[in-house]
């Protein structure tokens, strides 16, 4: 199963040319700006690097933090939120929770419900990775309710995905399927093909765990087709492998071998 980097669906294996241009621009602002403009640029650099170079991201975040007082502001809450991510991606959970909780306190006092939802979602991610599944579910549901007030379909879909991941980890497969299907419906309506494909491959994986191999094969093949159209060979291989497993369990030996060999070939080509 492709496990989402929950934090708003970011997959950062390398910085694109466009992203690098944006980073270069932000670095220029940091050198030339002062006050709030400099803090905002440092926050943006912290977030830009968080999933690829956490230590560098944290250095920018700490610079932003040192330029601010303890007065409640959205900017300070954002700095703390991004610093939490830099610790979370390194599995340094106590530090991550400390910064997220400080951010949440400020956002709560400011009645910033969208910011609260983002931070609560981050906290839920940490709980999930710690194996604190029930607490993760409760936090995701809180975030979901807050996102619902804002009518943010993309954020709601992302929380559905996160709930799908947690429920699968808990062995509550039907709850996992239900949430993935809700996310799939939202992403399809938004014409978000990549996210749709990831939901499909994850659903296929859950159906394998449920030993419902016909359904697993159906969703795996749908995901494989869409990933191929999008050019995501790395993830196409995951879908191909899941389809191979399903074929094997259904007694389709020749098809199983064909799919699994193709998956192996693509994984090797991607050094995976």
């Amino acid at each position: 199963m492709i496990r989402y980097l929950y934090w708003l669906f970011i997959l950062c294996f390398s910085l694109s040319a466009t992203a690098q241009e944006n980073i270069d621009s932000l670095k220029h602002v940091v050198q030339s700006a002062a006050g709030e403009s400099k803090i905002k640029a440092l926050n943006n650099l912290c977030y830009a690097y968080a999933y690829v170079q956490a230590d560098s991201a944290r250095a920018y975040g700490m610079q932003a933090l040192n330029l601010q007082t303890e007065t409640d502001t959205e900017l300070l809450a954002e700095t703390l939120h991004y610093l939490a991510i830099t610790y979370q991606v390194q599995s340094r959970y106590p530090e991550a929770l400390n910064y997220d909780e400080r951010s949440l306190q400020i956002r709560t006092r400011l009645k910033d419900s969208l910011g609260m939802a983002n931070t609560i979602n981050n906290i839920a991610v940490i709980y999930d990775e710690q194996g604190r599944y029930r607490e993760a579910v409760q936090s995701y549901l809180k975030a979901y309710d807050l996102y619902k007030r804002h009518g943010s379909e993309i954020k709601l879909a992302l929380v559905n995905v996160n709930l799908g991941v947690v429920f699968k980890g808990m062995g509550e497969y039907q709850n996992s399927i239900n949430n993935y299907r809700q996310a799939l419906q939202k992403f399809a309506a938004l014409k978000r093909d990549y996210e749709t494909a990831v939901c499909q491959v994850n659903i296929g994986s859950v159906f394998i765990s449920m030993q419902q191999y016909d359904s697993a094969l159906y969703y795996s093949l749908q995901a494989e087709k869409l990933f191929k159209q999008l050019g995501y060979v790395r993830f196409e291989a995951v879908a191909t492998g899941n389809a191979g497993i399903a074929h094997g369990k259904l007694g389709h030996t020749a098809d199983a071998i064909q799919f699994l060999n193709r998956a192996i070939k693509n994984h090797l080509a991607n050094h995976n």
Side-chain angles (χ1 to χ4, degrees), residues 27-146:
K27 288 180 178 178
H28 178 73
V29 172
V30 167
Q31 291 174 352
S32 60
E36 189 172 299
S37 296
K38 184 169 185 173
I39 295 168
K40 286 181 178 179
L42 286 166
N43 278 355
N44 288 333
L45 282 168
C46 179
Y47 188 68
Y49 277 109
Y51 298 99
V52 285
Q53 296 177 24
D55 290 332
S56 297
R58 190 174 305 122
Y60 288 119
M62 286 299 182
Q63 287 184 57
L65 187 61
N66 290 333
L67 292 172
Q68 299 174 78
T69 66
E70 288 297 318
T71 305
D72 287 351
T73 64
E74 290 183 10
L75 205 54
L76 178 58
E78 183 179 75
T79 301
L80 296 167
H81 178 78
Y82 291 163
L83 280 168
I85 295 173
T86 71
Y87 285 108
Q88 189 269 327
V89 297
Q90 293 181 326
S91 301
R92 295 173 62 177
Y93 301 126
E95 294 101 322
L97 283 171
N98 175 55
Y99 281 100
D100 264 334
E101 286 164 1
R102 288 169 63 187
S103 177
L104 181 59
Q105 289 170 5
I106 293 171
R107 286 173 160 172
T108 301
R109 288 193 290 266
L110 293 173
K111 298 182 180 179
D112 175 12
S113 57
L114 188 57
M116 289 167 60
N118 290 336
T119 300
I120 291 168
N121 185 71
N122 265 26
I123 290 171
V125 170
I126 296 168
Y127 287 156
D128 180 15
E129 294 188 0
Q130 290 180 310
R132 297 162 65 179
Y133 297 132
R134 291 297 174 190
E135 292 169 276
V137 169
Q138 291 172 4
S139 293
Y140 281 134
L141 292 176
K142 287 179 185 177
Y144 193 92
D145 286 341
L146 290 168

